[in-house]
Amino acid sequence: MLLTGCTDGRPKAADPAISLERRMREAAVRDSARLLERYDSTAAAHPALAGRLAPLRAAVAAHVSALSPAVPGAPSPSPSASPSGGTGAAAPAASGEPVPAKPEEALTALADAERSLSEARTIDLAGAPAELARMLASVAACGAVHVYLLTSTPGAKP
């Protein structure tokens, strides 16, 4: 008798590490997309901050792309996309929270969002597969730098 295959015809069980990684990546992408929306809302509410926020926003957009599970044909946010014209301060952020009316408070709120996400990613490292853990660590570190940049006074002497 000849054997025609190496399997018994039953589907293999999904690798739990792969599904865990996919779930963690999808959650990380959602979190980064919400942060990206906060950047857009803040820049729309405070057009004078748009230039300062643009490089940070571009980094967050890159995080969304890097963290996205490989899905053929899935669109990713453009790091060069810019928010549409603002309607003034206190515009609602994508998360439903209003953007503070004062630019300094808006930067603080954005820094708080970055800090929270950076801390959450640091906690997630413990349960993440190795490759994803390295990426989450890098993205968390970038978020910590964003907090510093958002809360420091540009042009001030250290």
Side-chain angles (χ1 to χ4, degrees), residues 25-128:
R25 281 182 178 274
E26 288 170 350
V29 168
R30 277 192 305 275
D31 292 342
S32 288
R34 279 194 291 266
L35 182 60
L36 192 60
E37 292 169 354
R38 287 189 69 121
Y39 271 95
D40 290 344
S41 297
T42 302
H46 299 286
L49 295 177
R52 180 175 178 182
L53 298 179
L56 306 179
R57 184 209 180 275
V60 173
H63 298 161
V64 172
S65 296
L67 289 165
S68 293
V71 178
S76 62
S78 167
S80 61
S82 60
S84 58
T87 58
S95 64
E97 297 177 33
V99 175
K102 294 181 180 178
E104 305 82 30
E105 292 172 0
L107 290 174
T108 299
L110 200 50
D112 290 344
E114 282 273 14
R115 183 179 297 108
S116 294
L117 186 52
S118 180
E119 290 171 356
R121 289 195 167 136
T122 301
I123 291 167
D124 288 345
L125 291 174

Side-chain angles (χ1 to χ4, degrees), residues 14-26 129 132:
D15 183 353
I18 292 173
S19 62
L20 170 66
E21 180 173 355
R22 183 165 186 90
R23 286 191 313 267
M24 290 183 81
R25 281 182 178 274
E26 288 170 350
L132 180 58

